Amino acid sequence: MSTLSEAYEDLPLDLQHIKPVDFASLQAVPDSHVWHDSSFGACSDEHENSLVPVIDLEDSNATELIGQACETLGVFQLKNHGIPLSLIEEVESEAARFFALSARQKLKALRSPGGATGYGIARITPFFSKYMWHEGFTIMGSPVDHVKQLWPHDNERFCDVMEDYQKKMKVLAERLTRLIFKSLNISDEEISWLSSTSNDSGSTSSVSAALQLNSYPPCPEPNQTMGLAPHTDTFLLTILHQTQTNGLQIFKDGVGWLPVPPVEGALVVNMGDLFHILTNARFTNVLHRVVVSGTQQRLSTAYFYGPPIDFILSPFSKVLNSAQAPHYRSVAVKEYVAIKAQNLEKALSFIRA
C-alpha cells in the first residue's frame, strides 16, 4: 500500500519554494512578501459575533448540527471533543520551542525537495507571485529523523507529544467522519475503508494523515503581507487548534471574508475537497486564509485526515437524487493529491464528470 509521504515524492518542489526567510532578522517587509491591497478583500469586524457555529460533540443533536454546518459553511468549532487540554498545551509549547530556534538551526530540519515532512514554507507557495509570512513543520508519524538534527540528545519529549497528539487526532477524526457520514445516511458497509483503518493504538499507518505546525511571526507591516493565501484543503477534513490570536478567515459567497475567532477549548473543523467530491458538491470545501498580526506570533496546529492513498472515491449514490448526475468522476486519492499539487484552485475542474 502506498503512503501519503510517497505520493509527494513524485511532486518535488524547488528549494526557493521550501526555504523560509529569517523573519527575526527583518525590520521591514521585503518586496518578495508584499501583497497588493486587492489581494485581501474586505473582512467583517473581528469583534462581531462569528457566523461559524460552535457545536458540542456531546450534544444529542451533534450529528444533525455538524451535517448542517458542513453544507452551509463547510466549517464549525467543536467543543467537548475529547482531546485533553493538557496535551493541546504540550503540543503548543513544543511547537513554540521549535519555532523559537534560530533560522540557521531550523534549516537543519528543512524539508527535502521531494519530501513531505520537515521544516519549510507552505506547499501552495508556487501558485502565488508573492511569498507568505509563514513557516511550518510537517509531521507524518514520528518526527524523530528531523528533530534529532535539532536536538540530538533532547528530542524525546517533542516526538512523544507529537505522536500522542496524532493518535488522538486520528481517533477524533474517525469519530467525526462517522458522524458526518451518518448525517448523510451512509452506512458503515459503504465506508469499509474507515473500519479497516481503526485500531486501539490510533496508528496512522493506513489513512492519509499529516500534522502541520504553523507559525505566523509578528510582522512590521501586517497590512502588506499574507500569512497564508486563500486555498481549500485537499483531504476529507482538517482539525485545527489555534492560539488566542485572531487571523483565520473563511470566505462565504455573497458575504465575503469572515473571521474564525479562537474559542477557548474548541477546535476548528473544516471540510476539504474529498468530502466535497464524495457529497457531489453538497458539502462546502471552505476557502480560507490567514492574516497576520503586527505584535503577536500566531501558532496553529492542523491535522489533515483522509482515506488511504490508494482508495478510489466518487460521489455516493445516496447523495444523488434521480435527476442529478455525478459532478465528478472516480479518482484515487493519490491521483487527486497530484492534481491538486499541480493545479491548486483548478484541481476539481480536472475531475468533473
Side-chain angles (χ1 to χ4, degrees):
M1 179 178 290
S2 302
T3 65
L4 182 58
S5 189
E6 290 170 348
Y8 283 110
E9 290 179 3
D10 298 328
L11 306 165
L13 296 174
D14 293 334
L15 189 61
Q16 64 178 351
H17 293 141
I18 300 174
K19 185 179 177 181
V21 298
D22 181 2
F23 290 103
S25 69
L26 299 177
Q27 302 300 314
V29 177
D31 182 67
S32 58
H33 288 68
V34 173
W35 291 62
H36 298 296
D37 290 342
S38 59
S39 302
F40 291 86
C43 181
S44 64
D45 192 325
E46 293 277 353
H47 301 290
E48 291 182 0
N49 292 329
S50 174
L51 293 179
V52 178
V54 179
I55 300 174
D56 187 334
L57 189 53
E58 301 304 321
D59 190 315
S60 59
N61 296 317
T63 299
E64 179 184 352
L65 294 171
I66 289 172
Q68 291 173 353
C70 292
E71 287 195 45
T72 54
L73 280 178
V75 62
F76 55 92
Q77 304 226 42
L78 188 70
K79 296 178 65 176
N80 285 325
H81 40 69
I83 306 298
L85 177 60
S86 59
L87 178 58
I88 293 174
E89 290 175 341
E90 284 183 297
V91 170
E92 189 176 311
S93 175
E94 289 302 301
R97 179 163 76 110
F98 171 81
F99 289 116
L101 295 171
S102 68
R104 175 180 293 184
Q105 187 76 353
K106 285 181 286 193
L107 287 176
K108 294 179 181 179
L110 189 67
R111 192 171 70 232
S112 66
T117 60
Y119 176 63
I121 55 181
R123 294 193 71 93
I124 63 174
T125 298
F127 296 97
F128 301 92
S129 60
K130 298 293 184 175
Y131 286 88
M132 289 159 255
W133 203 261
H134 163 272
E135 55 183 336
F137 187 74
T138 308
I139 302 169
M140 296 179 187
S142 173
V144 65
D145 287 344
H146 281 107
V147 298
K148 70 183 180 183
Q149 306 299 324
L150 310 173
W151 303 298
H153 309 294
D154 185 27
N155 58 60
E156 188 173 335
R157 175 177 172 79
F158 183 96
C159 293
D160 288 348
V161 167
M162 297 305 166
E163 290 182 62
D164 188 23
Y165 190 69
Q166 288 176 90
K167 290 176 181 178
K168 288 183 169 57
M169 276 285 139
K170 178 176 181 281
V171 172
L172 175 59
E174 287 180 348
R175 182 180 179 186
L176 286 172
T177 300
R178 290 185 187 280
L179 285 178
I180 293 169
F181 282 133
K182 183 179 179 181
S183 76
L184 295 166
N185 296 314
I186 304 297
S187 67
D188 284 349
E189 290 72 26
E190 295 174 274
I191 48 172
S192 57
W193 66 266
L194 187 58
S195 299
S196 68
T197 63
S198 301
N199 56 56
D200 294 336
S201 69
S203 169
T204 60
S205 59
S206 297
V207 297
S208 301
L211 181 64
Q212 174 75 24
L213 311 181
N214 298 303
S215 170
Y216 305 92
C219 180
E221 300 165 276
N223 292 330
Q224 293 189 15
T225 56
M226 182 70 74
L228 200 58
H231 67 286
T232 63
D233 290 340
T234 300
F235 297 99
L236 284 177
L237 54 81
T238 304
I239 306 175
L240 179 86
H241 164 67
Q242 55 179 341
T243 51
Q244 297 298 306
T245 301
N246 287 313
L248 178 62
Q249 299 175 352
I250 62 165
F251 188 82
K252 181 172 174 57
D253 288 338
V255 178
W257 289 103
L258 297 168
V260 185
V263 173
E264 188 171 357
L267 297 169
V268 179
V269 181
N270 68 266
M271 297 297 101
D273 294 351
L274 297 190
F275 250 135
H276 183 76
I277 295 167
L278 285 173
T279 60
N280 209 41
R282 179 170 164 180
F283 281 2
T284 302
N285 54 335
V286 64
L287 187 69
H288 55 286
R289 68 182 185 182
V290 175
V291 295
V292 296
S293 167
T295 57
Q296 295 178 297
Q297 178 189 35
R298 180 179 181 273
L299 297 175
S300 71
T301 308
Y303 180 78
F304 304 102
Y305 178 81
I309 201 73
D310 294 316
F311 180 74
I312 298 175
L313 66 156
S314 59
F316 282 114
S317 58
K318 283 189 177 179
V319 303
L320 303 172
N321 59 45
S322 57
Q324 188 180 37
H327 294 321
Y328 304 107
R329 64 170 173 83
S330 297
V331 62
V333 174
K334 182 177 182 179
E335 180 189 358
Y336 186 73
V337 167
I339 293 172
K340 183 71 177 279
Q342 298 171 75
N343 301 280
L344 199 59
E345 80 278 3
K346 297 178 182 178
L348 288 171
S349 66
F350 282 82
I351 62 164
R352 290 203 186 278

